[in-house]
Amino acid sequence: MITCKSTVEMTSNTSSSSSLVRIAAAQMTSINDLTTNFNTCSRLVKEAVEAGAKLICFPENFSFVGAKDGESLSIAEPLNGPIMQKYCSLARESNIWLSLGGFQEKGPDDAHLCNTHVLVDDTGNIRSTYRKIHMFDVDVPGGMVYKESSFTIEGKDIVAVDSPVGRLGVTVCYDLRFPELYQQLRFQHQAQVLLVPAAFTKITGEAHWEILLRARAIETQCYVVASAQAGKHNDKRESYGDTLIIDPWGKVISRLPGAY
């Protein structure tokens, strides 16, 4: 299992004077075992705290990646359920903010869930939730056919929230291909840091991952933090990796390669 983190200092303008704050971005290969994934996240949180980070960002599907159809639906829970509450306790005990992108939140019926990006503050309270707006419905050339909308309810609301590292614009994975969302986060909701937790496929990641992230940074003049799943989760699914932190000039200032 690939598990690692990258930390970088960024300029925060949350007060009358600018200051440097440290943020961590995690990369992992989640599997269909909630306990194993939580233990991995706990270790990465400890490393981030030791490095002085105020926020650690985890990739989409950090807590669970199903190995067969229907598994994600079977483990989906409400935000006040035991899975998310363990992560809230982790944030509180570690005194750090968590960006938990792509949580399988239970939907309105047993056939649907929400792909939810949850921000938890350092007291263990959920500060905001963003439900993924753009569904990954694609036929990957030379790869698999994905239809996220068949089991996921799309979100409606654009979300930005203040944090110790600046005002965060909250998104998930496939949202990256829709620049108008990021324009609204920056110019209507005053986001300073854009979060893009993801589980890009190997094929689409090689083609588009970095260039799209750098474009979003340049056109909005925001930092972009893109935590990624990496490697083979099971016999059917492989993620691209290449976790990146990008500055408003479009320069990659920290990177975790996809392969080791």
Side-chain angles (χ1 to χ4, degrees):
M1 176 182 286
I2 297 170
T3 55
C4 50
K5 62 148 183 63
S6 177
T7 59
V8 68
E9 286 184 339
M10 302 190 305
T11 301
S12 172
N13 296 304
T14 55
S15 63
S16 57
S17 60
S18 297
S19 60
L20 289 177
V21 291
R22 188 171 291 268
I23 189 171
Q27 181 162 289
M28 55 194 295
T29 312
S30 298
I31 59 173
N32 60 338
D33 187 304
L34 291 163
T35 299
T36 296
N37 296 329
F38 178 78
N39 290 341
T40 297
C41 291
S42 297
R43 176 174 59 80
L44 293 171
V45 164
K46 181 179 179 181
E47 292 177 10
V49 170
E50 290 173 349
K54 299 296 184 183
L55 165 71
I56 180 169
C57 301
F58 285 100
E60 184 181 25
N61 299 336
F62 64 97
S63 65
F64 191 85
V65 171
K68 58 185 179 181
D69 292 345
E71 269 195 314
S72 292
L73 281 169
S74 69
I75 61 92
E77 284 187 357
L79 297 178
N80 61 358
I83 299 173
M84 183 54 62
Q85 290 309 300
K86 284 181 67 175
Y87 285 90
C88 290
S89 295
L90 176 62
R92 181 177 62 255
E93 293 163 3
S94 305
N95 193 34
I96 191 172
W97 280 59
L98 305 182
S99 164
L100 302 172
F103 177 70
Q104 291 95 352
E105 180 188 6
K106 186 171 178 57
D109 54 56
D110 291 338
H112 294 89
L113 54 75
C114 296
N115 189 340
T116 303
H117 187 161
V118 183
L119 282 169
V120 182
D121 69 18
D122 53 7
T123 67
N125 291 314
I126 294 176
R127 279 295 185 94
S128 73
T129 55
Y130 164 77
R131 294 172 178 89
K132 186 178 179 183
I133 292 174
H134 300 100
M135 297 292 99
F136 186 51
D137 289 358
V138 299
D139 184 351
V140 178
M144 294 178 63
V145 175
Y146 297 84
K147 194 168 179 58
E148 188 177 18
S149 64
S150 66
F151 61 90
T152 305
I153 301 295
E154 65 183 34
K156 304 295 182 184
D157 298 326
I158 296 174
V159 175
V161 62
D162 291 325
S163 81
V165 302
R167 189 160 174 80
L168 305 174
V170 191
T171 69
V172 178
C173 200
Y174 195 60
D175 286 329
L176 179 61
R177 295 186 180 275
F178 300 86
E180 65 274 11
L181 172 59
Y182 297 87
Q183 295 284 312
Q184 291 181 66
L185 282 167
R186 171 64 181 90
F187 298 110
Q188 295 182 22
H189 297 268
Q190 292 75 53
Q192 298 166 305
V193 182
L194 303 174
L195 304 183
V196 192
F200 256 55
T201 69
K202 187 172 185 295
I203 293 172
T204 58
E206 289 173 346
H208 301 142
W209 174 243
E210 181 178 334
I211 194 169
L212 288 174
L213 290 167
R214 294 179 68 189
R216 298 296 88 86
I218 294 166
E219 67 198 11
T220 62
Q221 288 294 280
C222 288
Y223 285 96
V224 172
V225 182
S227 300
Q229 292 282 351
K232 295 200 71 172
H233 309 278
N234 49 60
D235 292 340
K236 297 180 179 179
R237 185 165 179 176
E238 182 176 8
S239 294
Y240 178 61
D242 200 28
T243 290
L244 298 173
I245 300 177
I246 302 168
D247 73 11
W249 189 248
K251 178 182 178 182
V252 176
I253 56 177
S254 189
R255 162 179 265 135
L256 293 169
Y260 294 84

